[in-house]
Amino acid sequence: MKLRQFGLVAGAFCAAVLASNSAIAADKPLQVATDAAYAPFESQNEKKEIVGFDVEVLTAAAAKSGLKTKFINTPWEGIFATLGTGDRDVVASAVTITDERKQSMDFSDPYFEAKQLIAVGPKSKVVKFADLKDKKVGVQTGTTGDEVVQKLLGKTNPNIKRFESTPLALKELLNGGVDAVVADNGVVVNFIANNKNDKLKTIDDATFAKEYYGFAVKKGNKALLEKLNKGIAAIKADGSYAKIYKKYFGN
Ligand code: ARG
C-alpha cells in the first residue's frame, strides 16, 4: 500500500470509530438501578414495566440534559455496589441521602422529603416508637428504617426481623409474624391504601428525623451529577416536577 493510500484508509477508519463512539455516548441510556417493589416510587405494572414517581422524576430531569434512562430492577441488597462495578450509572430507588452513604457514593440534590412511619395492626396498643422496644419489628434490610430500629432495639437484637423488600415486611405484619413495621412513610401509606380491609394503623413519631431522597452515582462522577442537578432544577422551575408530584401524592 502506498503511503497516500494508507493515509486515506487510516483516516476513514478513524472517522468511522469516532462517529460510532459519539453515537454510543449520545444514545446509550443511563443504566438505572431500582428496587421496583416500592410503590409509589418504583414498582412493576402488569406489563412488567417499571413505573413510579422516581422513574418519572429522573427521566424528566435526565431529558433536560439530553439523557435517556433505562430502569433495571435490582435487588436492594447490593444495589449500591452496582455503581462501583460500573454495571449501573444511577441508583434511583427512594434512596435517603445519609452521611454514611456519602462516603462511598455521590448524591444529586434532594428531590423528595420523607420520614419513617410505624405500621401496626388494628388492635395494637403501640402509640409511640419507644413502645416497640420489646416488640418484633419488621424492616427492609439495610434501609434507614432498619437503622432507626437498630438504635432502639440494638443492632443484633433478634426481634428485628429483616426482609428483602418492604412489602414483604408489611405482609408479615398482616400475617401476625411481626408486631410492627418501620419504613418510609410514602410506601407505608400506599400499602395501607391498597389493603384497606386489613385496617393497619400508622404512628408518626416526633423522634424520626426528616429524610431526603437523592439519586446516587459512582463517587467522583461529577459530570453526570452536574447534568442530573441541572435537570432537577429545570423540572422544578418549569412546573414538570410539581405535575409529577401531584399525580402521585395529590396536593
Ligand atoms: N429511603 C430508605 C433508604 O434509603 C428506603 C429505600 C428503599 N428503596 C427501595 N426501592 N426499596 O434506606
Side-chain angles (χ1 to χ4, degrees):
M1 206 190 309
K2 297 222 172 70
L3 189 60
R4 202 179 72 89
Q5 274 177 325
F6 175 75
L8 284 176
V9 172
F13 179 70
C14 284
V17 167
L18 281 175
S20 62
N21 257 350
S22 57
I24 289 172
D27 292 346
K28 189 174 184 244
L30 290 172
Q31 307 289 297
V32 185
T34 194
D35 168 26
Y38 217 63
F41 299 97
E42 43 265 339
S43 61
Q44 280 187 313
N45 65 15
E46 320 75 54
K47 288 187 232 152
K48 294 275 169 202
E49 297 156 337
I50 300 176
V51 296
F53 179 77
D54 287 351
V55 179
E56 295 197 33
V57 170
L58 181 64
T59 302
K64 293 282 185 191
S65 296
L67 297 168
K68 296 195 173 73
T69 55
K70 178 172 190 259
F71 280 77
I72 305 154
N73 199 4
T74 308
W76 176 255
E77 271 198 89
I79 201 165
F80 300 120
T82 65
L83 294 174
T85 58
D87 289 327
R88 308 281 190 271
D89 303 305
V90 183
V91 178
S93 200
V95 180
T96 301
I97 303 169
T98 68
D99 287 338
E100 196 190 338
R101 287 174 182 164
K102 273 197 225 162
Q103 308 197 341
S104 51
M105 65 197 87
D106 284 335
F107 282 98
S108 72
D109 292 333
Y111 66 89
F112 191 81
E113 187 187 309
K115 240 187 132 183
Q116 295 305 303
L117 189 63
I118 304 166
V120 293
K123 292 187 193 116
S124 172
K125 297 206 165 60
V126 169
V127 294
K128 57 183 188 305
F129 184 47
D131 295 342
L132 298 183
K133 184 104 189 150
D134 48 15
K135 298 271 187 298
K136 280 188 194 144
V137 186
V139 296
Q140 182 177 10
T141 312
T143 57
T144 44
D146 188 354
E147 285 168 25
V148 160
V149 173
Q150 282 177 36
K151 277 192 204 133
L152 182 70
L153 273 71
K155 209 180 175 92
T156 57
N157 191 324
N159 274 343
I160 304 180
K161 305 292 177 197
R162 295 193 170 89
F163 297 84
E164 180 182 306
S165 80
T166 297
L168 282 177
L170 287 159
K171 276 176 199 144
E172 192 64 9
L173 176 61
L174 296 181
N175 294 337
V178 294
D179 303 306
V181 167
V182 178
D184 291 8
N185 51 354
V187 175
V188 170
V189 166
N190 182 274
F191 183 89
I192 293 178
N194 290 326
N195 295 273
K196 280 215 175 73
N197 295 337
D198 298 297
K199 300 196 164 62
L200 293 179
K201 299 188 291 186
T202 60
I203 298 150
D204 182 5
D205 192 283
T207 62
F208 294 144
K210 280 182 184 168
E211 298 185 20
Y212 295 93
Y213 294 170
F215 301 120
V217 304
K218 185 177 187 166
K219 196 153 191 59
N221 194 349
K222 285 218 179 75
L224 179 54
L225 260 196
E226 231 165 71
K227 286 183 181 166
L228 295 183
N229 285 339
K230 266 194 195 156
I232 293 169
I235 62 170
K236 283 192 175 163
D238 76 358
S240 36
Y241 177 91
K243 217 170 164 187
I244 301 168
Y245 189 96
K246 198 172 172 194
K247 170 173 169 188
Y248 285 93
F249 305 105
N251 286 316

